[in-house]
Structure formats: structure tokens, C-alpha cells
């Protein structure tokens, strides 16, 4: 895992020329590891769609657009600038899907689902001083709405993006009073669902995501300024 992380960062930084990745032998020699470890390293990179490995052929780096950006490993290994780009792209996905999911849920959510959402909204109010715990409840609130929409394909798409969603929430949770605002927005979504109001749920979710995106951009800008000052 350590060697795979190192090689991923090298590839991202442009440290590998001509699209040719290190072979098993190259990895073994450079990092002082066995051929077994080198082979497993390449398997990890291949599983993330970073490289192509074929018997009797050189190991080549795949186009970056084809990498598995939904993998928690890759998110952890990428530089902060690239993660920031991915979070902006995640927002585009959420803005396309979640308002419609909320509208679908308003029409189909059961009383049991609404009861669970109420518990989650109440928990958010209690956890505004505990960002990590809040994050878990926040994620489950959105997944509950997704499940209530009763579309298995959309459910799996949203679930697959959960690691990036967690990263995004960690950024927005750092904003002053960010969790208090988030609780109010989640409450607005919940109330539209209880009212069985698809249009209202769609609007409330869209407003929540728009506010999140504005916070995300502002927090990333502050991080960039702090990094510039340190340099």
C-alpha cells in the first residue's frame, strides 16, 4: 500500500515519462521489496485503473480520466488540488441527482422512513459541536432519502460516491456555524418530505446543495491562502 501510494503520487506529479510505469523488477529494486510485494503493488494500481498490466508486456499508465476516482484509496493518495477538483465535480453529480431524489422520496417515503429522518434531524441538532459524529448522521440522512426514492441504480451511484461525499462534508463542516446552518437546511428538506411536497423537497435540496458548494469554495480558498502564507 505504501509503495502504491508513492507511485500514484509520482504519476500524478508527472514523474513517470512516456506513460511507462515501473515493472515488478523496477519496483523490487527501487524500494527494496520482494517480487511478491512488487506484484501486489501493481495489482493495487491496476484495481484503481491507474495502470494496465499484461503478461509479457510493459506496464503502462492509463489516461487519468479513466482512474477510479470513487475509491477511498485514490482520494487519500491524490494531492489536495486534485481532490478539490473532484469535490467540485461531485457537487455537479449531487446537483443533478439529489433534488430529483428528494422529489421522488416526497411522493413515496413511508411513515417509517419519515420517522427515521426525524430522528436523524434531531441528532444533527444535538451533534453540532461534534463534526465527526454529525458527518455520519448527515450521510445517513441523504442515503435514507435515496433509498426512499426506491431506485436501485441511483442508490448504488450515490453509495459509490460516499467517500468523496465524506471528504466534502469534512471541508464544509469546518466553516464557522456551518453545522448549525446545515441542520436548518436538513430540517427544511425533512419538512417538505413530511408535507408530501415534491416541488418543495426538490427546492429545499437544491438550496442545501448550493449553500454547501458556496461553503466548499470559500473553505478551499481559505486553505489556499493559508498555504500561500506558509510558503
Amino acid at each position: 500500500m505504501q509503495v502504491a501510494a508513492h507511485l500514484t503520487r509520482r504519476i500524478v506529479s508527472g514523474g513517470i515519462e512516456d506513460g511507462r510505469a515501473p515493472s515488478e523488477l523496477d519496483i523490487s529494486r527501487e524500494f527494496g521489496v520482494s517480487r511478491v510485494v512488487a506484484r501486489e503493488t501493481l495489482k493495487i494500481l491496476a484495481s484503481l485503473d491507474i495502470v494496465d498490466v499484461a503478461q509479457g508486456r510493459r506496464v503502462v499508465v492509463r489516461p487519468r480520466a479513466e482512474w477510479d476516482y470513487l475509491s477511498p484509496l485514490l482520494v487519500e493518495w491524490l494531492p489536495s488540488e486534485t481532490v478539490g477538483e473532484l469535490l467540485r465535480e461531485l457537487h455537479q453529480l449531487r446537483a443533478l441527482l439529489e433534488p430529483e431524489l428528494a422529489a421522488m422520496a416526497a411522493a413515496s417515503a413511508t411513515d417509517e422512513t419519515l420517522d427515521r429522518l426525524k430522528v436523524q434531524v434531531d441528532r444533527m441538532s444535538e451533534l453540532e459541536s461534534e463534526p465527526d459524529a454529525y458527518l455520519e448522521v448527515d450521510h445517513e440522512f441523504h442515503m435514507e432519502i435515496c433509498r426512499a426514492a426506491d431506485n436501485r441504480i441511483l442508490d448504488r451511484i450515490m453509495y459509490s460516491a460516499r467517500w468523496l461525499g465524506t471528504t466534502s462534508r469534512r471541508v464544509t463542516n469546518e466553516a464557522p456555524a456551518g453545522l448549525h446552518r446545515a441542520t436548518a437546511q436538513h430540517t427544511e428538506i425533512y419538512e417538505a418530505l413530511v408535507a408530501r411536497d415534491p416541488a418543495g423537497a426538490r427546492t429545499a435540496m437544491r438550496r442545501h446543495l448550493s449553500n454547501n458548494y458556496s461553503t466548499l469554495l470559500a473553505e478551499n480558498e481559505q486553505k489556499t491562502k493559508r498555504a500561500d502564507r506558509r510558503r
Side-chain angles (χ1 to χ4, degrees):
M1 297 295 284
Q2 292 174 343
V3 176
H6 182 89
L7 290 175
T8 298
R9 295 184 182 112
R10 182 186 295 176
I11 292 169
V12 171
S13 67
I16 291 180
E17 299 178 357
D18 303 325
R20 182 170 182 172
S23 66
E24 282 184 23
L25 182 58
D26 294 331
I27 293 171
S28 181
R29 287 174 174 172
E30 178 179 353
F31 296 97
V33 297
S34 69
R35 291 291 291 269
V36 172
V37 171
R39 187 177 306 118
E40 291 302 314
T41 296
L42 290 176
K43 284 182 180 179
I44 292 170
L45 295 179
S47 73
L48 297 172
D49 297 325
I50 296 174
V51 301
D52 270 330
V53 183
Q55 188 70 29
R57 296 170 52 192
R58 70 179 189 175
V59 183
V60 296
V61 178
R62 296 185 60 170
R64 294 192 191 187
E66 299 176 1
W67 294 6
D68 183 7
Y69 291 106
L70 297 180
S71 166
L73 286 179
L74 191 52
V75 172
E76 182 180 339
W77 295 345
L78 291 172
S80 59
E81 296 82 3
T82 304
V83 173
E85 294 168 2
L86 292 176
L87 295 185
R88 288 190 286 276
E89 292 170 15
L90 174 68
H91 168 75
Q92 293 172 342
L93 169 72
R94 295 186 68 188
L96 285 170
L97 295 185
E98 291 203 58
E100 295 309 313
L101 286 170
M104 293 164 67
S108 61
T110 64
D111 290 341
E112 291 78 10
T113 293
L114 295 175
D115 288 343
R116 287 192 293 271
L117 289 170
K118 179 62 166 64
V119 170
Q120 290 157 4
V121 168
D122 290 344
R123 285 289 290 153
M124 289 180 196
S125 182
E126 297 169 359
L127 295 171
E128 290 176 5
S129 61
E130 302 178 45
D132 289 341
Y134 190 105
L135 186 152
E136 294 180 10
V137 179
D138 185 344
H139 171 75
E140 185 56 28
F141 178 89
H142 286 268
M143 287 306 302
E144 192 74 59
I145 290 173
C146 186
R147 288 189 289 269
D150 197 25
N151 183 302
R152 289 171 291 184
I153 303 300
L154 291 174
D155 180 87
R156 290 301 87 189
I157 290 172
M158 293 298 298
Y159 184 76
S160 296
R162 66 193 183 282
W163 303 111
L164 276 173
T166 296
T167 302
S168 177
R169 288 181 175 92
R170 285 206 173 99
V171 174
T172 56
N173 285 355
E174 293 177 1
L179 294 184
H180 182 69
R181 287 195 299 271
T183 300
Q185 292 159 17
H186 287 107
T187 301
E188 184 180 358
I189 296 167
Y190 165 74
E191 290 173 348
L193 296 173
V194 171
R196 308 291 183 179
D197 178 6
R202 182 185 294 112
T203 298
M205 182 65 79
R206 188 174 290 128
R207 184 181 300 115
H208 170 55
L209 295 175
S210 178
N211 289 336
N212 267 5
Y213 188 56
S214 297
T215 301
L216 179 67
L217 293 179
E219 288 300 305
N220 281 336
E221 183 179 351
Q222 289 300 317
K223 284 186 176 181
T224 300
K225 289 179 179 179
R226 289 194 292 269
D228 288 342
R229 285 197 295 270
R230 285 196 296 270
R231 284 195 291 269

